[in-house]
Amino acid sequence: IGRWLFSRAICLKAPYFASIRPILDVLEPGRAVARMKKRRAVTNHIGTVHAIAMANLCEFVAGTMTEVSIPLSMRWIPKGMHISYLGKAETSVKAEATLQPVREGEKQDAVVSVEVSNDAGKVVVHADITMYVTPKSGG
């Protein structure tokens, strides 16, 4: 229940993510894993998980991981996303995000790599999300 509560708290801060009901399983500097259950609300007209729902999961896991990965003196905002849909998601999905360490005190683009896989472990989506990381004002 702890993972569920923590994930819901993130969705209260950023309400749009609540539409996919993500559950964060791993959160550590440089890596995070979240999952999303296949259910009617996230499916498309052919009965698979909708591409944009998976893009939403990518942004959820990338942003949450970036928040705990950058120095406290820094802040971030998504700048862009390149996403490739590699296959149908006919099951629930899991997204894993990774990020290399960022340089403290410097404005920079940090690219978060996200892979979304189905229950069989097949990658169905790959996204590279560019985060614009800058020093906090007055810090």
Side-chain angles (χ1 to χ4, degrees), residues 27-139:
L27 180 60
E28 57 194 30
R31 181 174 174 263
V33 178
R35 59 191 151 91
M36 175 178 66
K37 186 175 181 176
K38 180 185 174 192
R39 57 190 177 81
R40 180 166 166 67
V42 296
T43 56
N44 57 26
H45 66 288
I46 61 173
T48 61
V49 179
H50 196 284
I52 299 304
M54 290 187 286
N56 194 350
L57 182 64
C58 288
E59 189 175 354
F60 171 83
V61 73
T64 306
M65 187 268 305
T66 300
E67 184 67 29
V68 303
S69 298
I70 65 173
L72 291 174
S73 63
M74 307 290 281
R75 62 182 173 196
W76 62 274
I77 189 166
K79 184 176 181 180
M81 181 186 325
H82 179 267
I83 190 161
S84 298
Y85 302 104
L86 307 171
K88 294 178 188 174
E90 297 174 333
T91 67
S92 296
V93 292
K94 174 181 76 172
E96 181 169 354
T98 57
L99 173 67
Q100 297 300 313
V102 301
R103 298 172 308 280
E104 188 164 5
E106 292 181 36
K107 292 180 182 179
Q108 62 205 280
D109 286 342
V111 179
V112 178
S113 177
V114 185
E115 289 201 333
V116 179
S117 56
N118 63 18
D119 285 346
K122 179 183 175 193
V123 176
V124 294
V125 168
H126 177 85
D128 289 317
I129 303 174
T130 302
M131 303 296 193
Y132 184 53
V133 181
T134 61
K136 289 180 180 174
S137 299

Side-chain angles (χ1 to χ4, degrees), residues 2-19:
R3 291 181 184 144
W4 181 86
L5 281 174
F6 185 71
S7 299
R8 293 290 77 69
I10 294 168
C11 292
L12 286 173
K13 180 74 173 164
Y16 180 71
F17 293 128
S19 66

